[in-house]
């Protein structure tokens, strides 16, 4: 018996039983900041422009992903707002009825101009990266003097009527770890939920060192010292939805809720349902994967939707990746995933290319 045409697809599962549900779509590898944990080098090799997927190609591939069970897309990069006319892509994606959520991760520099058009185009949620409340420190961390524009961008998200604003802060020892409490207070004032991210040894983090990582345990301990008991929050939603989000959420006694993304010391590989598509159409099954599948070639070579779906299905069913857990197993021998020469040889190893 065949399922009715509007029935949700059977969940496609990998070798560890993890469903394919979440797609991170990198719309550009370019960025207008140079964060020390992501792009610390003086210069970079960029993807050739002719190889970047058009919006039409992106929307088509997303449709194929949706036919296999993907129901959430997050636009990322590089800095996604640098992609010319991004609201047009959002409008196309919003026309896909199987997508329940179209989110954006941005550094916020261009948000003041774009928050409203993105909202009108159908974007559902925004996450802004904000690592510090001090303009001079922002400049030292990002090599750009844009702190004021980021704050204006955060204000614009609220003015545009988005709910559920999230702020992401990568916590680095000696750089911004003294701001945990101030960032918590700032997020609360803004009606946002902050997530503290452990510094990760991903491709591109060429200056990563264990000593600079502030662990989830240490963050919780410091927050509890100032605010009293920190209550872990049970996850909402049906059982099959739980464990999907990378952040563990906590509540303080005054009701403030925050998250920690502990990919470095407590990876969530076991429940990871996300994959990543780079702006040039390379599909990665793990943030730490060494190689991906070239979907652009298939797209531009005339593959049908059914052929693309078959490539994705086979790829996901064979997925064994547990990148962050394997990194953790290296213990004290852990070093950056890739060296500078290797990254120049294959820029798809970069976090800013595969989409954070
Ligand atoms: N440009 C956008 C932004 O800044 O949000 C989107 C891309 S950025 C690569 C996505 C996320 O990756 C950001 O929240 C950033 O802080 C995070 N990130 C990049 N490198 C990281 C690292 N080494 N460890 C932890 N998080 C990192």
């Amino acid at each position: 018996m065949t399922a009715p045409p509007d029935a949700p697809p059977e969940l496609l599962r990998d070798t560890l039983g993890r469903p394919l549900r979440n797609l991170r779509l990198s719309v550009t590898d370019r960025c207008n900041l140079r964060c020390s944990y992501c792009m610390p080098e003086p210069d970079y090799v960029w993807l050739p422009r002719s190889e970047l997927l058009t919006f039409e190609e992106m929307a088509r591939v997303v449709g194929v992903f949706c036919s296999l069970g993907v129901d959430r897309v997050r636009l990322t990069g590089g800095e996604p707002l640098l992609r010319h006319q991004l609201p047009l892509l959002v409008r196309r994606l919003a026309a896909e009825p199987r997508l329940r959520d179209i989110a954006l991760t941005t550094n916020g520099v261009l948000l003041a101009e774009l928050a409203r058009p993105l909202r009108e185009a159908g974007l559902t949620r925004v996450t802004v990266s904000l690592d510090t409340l001090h303009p001079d420190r922002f400049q030292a961390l990002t090599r750009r003097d844009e702190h004021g524009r980021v704050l204006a961008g955060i204000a614009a998200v609220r003015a545009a009527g988005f709910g559920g604003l999230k702020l992401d802060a990568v916590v680095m020892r000696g750089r911004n770890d003294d701001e945990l409490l101030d960032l918590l207070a700032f997020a609360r004032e803004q009606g946002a939920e902050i997530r503290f991210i452990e510094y990760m040894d991903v491709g591109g983090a060429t200056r990563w060192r264990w000593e600079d990582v502030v662990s989830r345990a240490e963050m919780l301990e410091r927050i509890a010292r100032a605010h009293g008991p920190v209550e872990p929050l049970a996850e909402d939603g049906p059982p099959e939805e739980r464990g999907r989000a990378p952040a563990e959420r906590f509540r303080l006694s005054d009701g403030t809720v925050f998250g920690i993304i502990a990919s470095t010391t407590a990876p969530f590989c076991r429940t990871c349902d996300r994959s990543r598509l780079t702006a040039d159409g390379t599909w990665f099954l793990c943030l730490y994967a060494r190689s991906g599948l070239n979907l652009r070639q298939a797209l531009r070579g005339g593959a049908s939707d059914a052929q693309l779906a078959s490539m994705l299905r086979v790829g996901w069913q064979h997925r064994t990746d547990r990148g962050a857990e394997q990194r953790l197993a290296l213990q004290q021998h852990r070093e950056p995933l890739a060296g500078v020469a290797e990254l120049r040889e294959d820029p798809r190893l970069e976090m800013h290319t595969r989409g954070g």
Side-chain angles (χ1 to χ4, degrees):
M1 200 171 73
T2 52
D6 55 353
E10 267 292 286
L11 288 178
L12 180 65
R13 293 188 185 271
D14 70 5
T15 58
L16 299 176
R18 300 168 296 187
L20 170 67
R21 281 198 290 213
N22 224 307
L23 181 67
R24 302 217 154 199
L25 180 59
S26 172
V27 295
T28 178
D29 56 333
R30 309 276 168 150
C31 195
N32 42 4
L33 299 182
R34 289 291 179 272
C35 300
S36 57
Y37 49 75
C38 189
M39 302 184 74
E41 299 303 323
D43 51 66
Y44 285 92
V45 174
W46 307 107
L47 298 175
R49 284 190 185 271
S50 61
E51 295 188 356
L52 301 187
L53 299 190
T54 62
F55 287 168
E56 198 179 357
E57 289 171 324
M58 285 181 182
R60 182 172 162 216
V61 183
V62 169
V64 177
F65 273 103
C66 290
S67 74
L68 296 173
V70 165
D71 58 4
R72 287 158 200 236
V73 167
R74 177 171 291 277
L75 305 176
T76 179
E79 173 44 41
L81 301 188
L82 286 178
R83 180 79 188 234
H84 191 50
Q85 298 197 315
L86 189 68
L88 292 182
L89 174 65
V90 172
R91 198 168 290 286
R92 276 179 186 263
L93 298 179
E96 167 54 71
R98 293 166 292 193
L99 274 185
R100 292 201 289 153
D101 191 29
I102 307 170
L104 170 79
T105 298
T106 171
N107 60 33
V109 174
L110 298 171
L111 252 185
E113 300 95 272
L114 282 163
R116 196 168 294 279
L118 286 166
R119 172 94 176 132
E120 285 164 4
L123 190 75
T124 43
R125 287 188 305 130
V126 180
T127 300
V128 181
S129 298
L130 180 71
D131 304 318
T132 177
L133 298 174
H134 304 292
D136 52 340
R137 197 177 261 191
F138 182 93
Q139 185 155 4
L141 276 166
T142 67
R143 289 189 275 157
R144 300 289 186 271
D145 183 12
E146 299 283 19
H147 194 248
R149 288 173 86 193
V150 176
L151 297 187
I154 291 171
V157 175
R158 283 191 303 160
F162 285 100
L165 170 65
K166 293 204 173 80
L167 300 178
D168 277 0
V170 179
V171 181
M172 295 173 79
R173 192 175 305 284
R175 305 294 295 271
N176 65 345
D177 62 322
D178 56 346
E179 288 192 61
L180 285 178
L181 305 178
D182 292 344
L183 283 164
L184 261 175
F186 175 80
R188 189 177 47 225
E189 279 161 27
Q190 300 295 315
E193 187 170 313
I194 190 151
R195 286 119 46 101
F196 297 114
I197 307 178
E198 287 180 349
Y199 184 20
M200 294 169 70
D201 54 346
V202 285
T206 46
R207 313 279 160 94
W208 186 91
R209 303 178 316 163
W210 251 130
E211 306 89 275
D212 298 335
V213 176
V214 181
S215 71
R216 162 192 179 281
E218 185 177 342
M219 290 189 228
L220 284 175
E221 206 252 325
R222 288 204 210 173
I223 292 170
R225 215 182 303 142
H227 283 282
V230 175
E231 175 199 355
L233 278 185
E235 289 180 60
D236 307 327
E240 69 276 12
E241 296 279 318
R242 296 184 201 144
R244 286 179 64 171
E248 277 175 274
R249 298 169 77 229
F250 302 90
R251 184 164 42 214
L252 302 177
S253 54
D254 68 0
T256 306
V257 172
F258 67 96
I260 296 189
I261 302 180
S263 311
T264 304
T265 69
F268 56 94
C269 300
R270 296 282 156 182
T271 55
C272 178
D273 62 359
R274 64 206 59 217
S275 68
R276 298 179 144 77
L277 190 66
T278 60
D280 73 345
T282 312
W283 186 41
F284 286 96
L285 303 183
C286 176
L287 190 48
Y288 286 99
R290 289 268 165 195
S291 60
L293 183 68
N294 186 342
L295 296 180
R296 181 188 69 258
Q297 221 167 31
L299 261 175
R300 296 192 177 167
S304 66
D305 284 3
Q307 286 167 326
L308 288 170
S310 157
M311 287 173 74
L312 299 182
R313 191 178 297 111
V314 170
W316 192 262
Q317 281 171 337
H318 286 88
R319 179 181 188 241
T320 55
D321 302 68
R322 294 184 299 111
E325 285 179 0
Q326 284 161 345
R327 302 293 298 170
L328 186 61
L330 295 173
Q331 299 187 353
Q332 293 311 317
H333 306 292
R334 206 162 166 175
E335 284 179 352
L337 179 74
V340 176
E342 206 181 343
L343 292 166
R344 294 191 69 81
E345 186 69 27
D346 183 2
R348 289 171 200 81
L349 287 169
E350 298 267 8
M351 174 81 147
H352 72 263
T353 305
R354 63 181 50 176

